[in-house]
Amino acid sequence: MRVAVLDDYQNVALQLADWSAVRRHAEITVFNDHLDDPGAVVDRLRPFDAVCVMRERTPLTKEILEQLPRLKLIASTGPRNASIDTQAAAERGILVTPTGYDSTPTIEFAWSLILASMRGIDREAASLRAGGWQTGLGSNLRGKGLGVVGLGNIGKEVARIGLAFGMKVIAWSQNLTQEKASAAGATLVDKETLFREADVITVHLVLSGRTRGLIGAPELALMKPTARLINSSRGPIVDQAALIKALQARTIAGAAVDVFDIEPLPADHPFRTLDNLLATPHIGYVTEELYRTFYGDAAAGIAAWLEANAA
């Protein structure tokens, strides 16, 4: 048997989990690079019986799965992975297994982006590293309006922390009720009011047909010139071209994003050069603690499957 571990960018998968039970039955190959081309993905995976995928890095589409007759198990980190065609997998007899998950890293990271953007931490750190000193003024959080788009498991915790900073929290999503908003300490408003009144807007929604492109030019045009947009959820929820135009025109103060339409982000992408954008490489969930859960559960699941199939 052969097992592939994909997109292990930090080369830590084998260090953070016990793979000994897997090694008793299979050879493990770890890939640290990322392949964009579906044909190259097929060529890479064709020799493998099982694959461990980091959530939403390498898509496993129907077209790819149809060309992998040997593949019988996909161990995917996290409870769900929208980039796997689970129906196509089931039709081909490929088992897809999830792992445990903890939203704490993403909640904390959303606030890392908010704080860094409001205080210009990336700009000031770059100045210091280049031999300079202070370059601008930051902004307080206390008394400011926090607009939370999506008040689910992550959004409600982000709202709670906003209250601790002394912010006025307002919230909106397509299905949000006053009862749920009040339980999170937020005031339910309509979409236009949120974008018009909030000083910081943070996005916490699942990507779907309803949320793709949900925040575009009309919403960005409502924002205050001093307001900031934070997206640590999914890139396509925000119209990328519209955000670039707003930042270039400086109609909003800035943005901080950890997620993109195409990942890894192309080398020549405007997000890499805009001076009023803080961009990070989708690290919202990348912590040692969560990776131990991801890879530990994945290794255990693969080992159990190998044991069952070796009998």
Side-chain angles (χ1 to χ4, degrees):
M1 292 282 199
R2 296 189 64 186
V3 175
V5 178
L6 297 186
D7 296 311
D8 181 12
Y9 296 154
Q10 293 85 9
N11 196 27
V12 295
L14 300 187
Q15 302 170 31
L16 297 182
D18 181 1
W19 293 83
S20 58
V22 176
R23 286 196 178 95
R24 281 198 292 269
H25 299 283
E27 173 189 341
I28 303 172
T29 303
V30 178
F31 296 99
N32 308 125
D33 61 333
H34 176 78
L35 297 178
D36 289 317
D37 177 57
V41 173
V42 169
D43 289 342
R44 171 167 287 182
L45 294 184
R46 194 171 278 123
F48 293 96
D49 305 280
V51 58
C52 173
V53 295
M54 181 58 70
R55 55 192 311 217
E56 298 177 18
R57 288 184 182 170
T58 294
L60 294 177
T61 62
K62 179 179 180 181
E63 292 71 25
I64 288 175
L65 294 176
E66 286 176 342
Q67 300 177 70
L68 300 174
R70 186 167 170 173
L71 185 63
K72 295 303 176 187
L73 174 71
I74 301 171
S76 174
T77 60
R80 60 176 177 264
N81 188 337
S83 64
I84 298 173
D85 189 328
T86 53
Q87 181 177 340
E91 290 171 355
R92 298 191 61 81
I94 301 171
L95 179 65
V96 180
T97 61
T99 70
Y101 178 70
D102 178 10
S103 59
T104 297
T106 302
I107 295 163
E108 294 176 351
F109 190 75
W111 276 102
S112 298
L113 291 180
I114 293 170
L115 289 163
S117 183
M118 291 292 282
R119 297 300 297 270
I121 290 175
D122 57 325
R123 179 190 66 237
E124 300 297 347
S127 173
L128 183 72
R129 189 172 292 112
W133 199 238
Q134 298 179 16
T135 66
L137 299 175
S139 297
N140 291 352
L141 291 176
R142 181 171 294 277
K144 297 291 196 307
L146 176 67
V148 183
V149 181
L151 210 57
N153 292 333
I154 293 176
K156 69 182 181 182
E157 290 300 307
V158 170
R160 181 180 62 80
I161 295 168
L163 294 171
F165 275 114
M167 301 185 79
K168 302 170 185 177
V169 181
I170 58 177
W172 171 86
S173 71
Q174 289 148 319
N175 295 326
L176 184 61
T177 64
Q178 183 61 62
E179 181 181 12
K180 290 182 179 179
S182 298
T187 299
L188 175 64
V189 297
D190 59 41
K191 184 181 182 183
E192 290 73 20
T193 298
L194 185 142
F195 279 87
R196 189 181 298 113
E197 294 186 358
D199 299 291
V200 177
I201 297 169
T202 181
V203 183
H204 303 287
L205 296 169
V206 174
L207 180 63
S208 68
R210 292 199 311 166
T211 62
R212 187 178 295 272
L214 186 71
I215 300 171
E219 290 75 24
L220 295 170
L222 292 172
M223 292 175 63
K224 301 175 184 179
T226 55
R228 296 174 182 274
L229 178 70
I230 314 297
N231 186 11
S232 58
S233 185
R234 290 295 181 271
I237 294 172
V238 178
D239 184 323
Q240 186 173 268
L243 178 58
I244 290 170
K245 287 182 180 178
L247 292 169
Q248 289 173 334
R250 299 188 181 275
T251 57
I252 62 175
V257 298
D258 185 48
V259 288
F260 310 93
D261 289 2
I262 299 174
E263 298 184 4
L265 190 67
D268 60 350
H269 198 282
F271 278 169
R272 291 186 182 272
T273 57
L274 289 165
D275 64 0
N276 53 353
L277 174 75
L278 168 58
T280 51
H282 203 159
I283 55 173
Y285 65 90
V286 181
T287 66
E288 179 179 340
E289 292 83 357
L290 185 53
Y291 267 40
R292 287 189 182 279
T293 296
F294 279 171
Y295 286 125
D297 288 355
I302 294 169
W305 177 80
L306 288 168
E307 290 280 354
N309 284 274

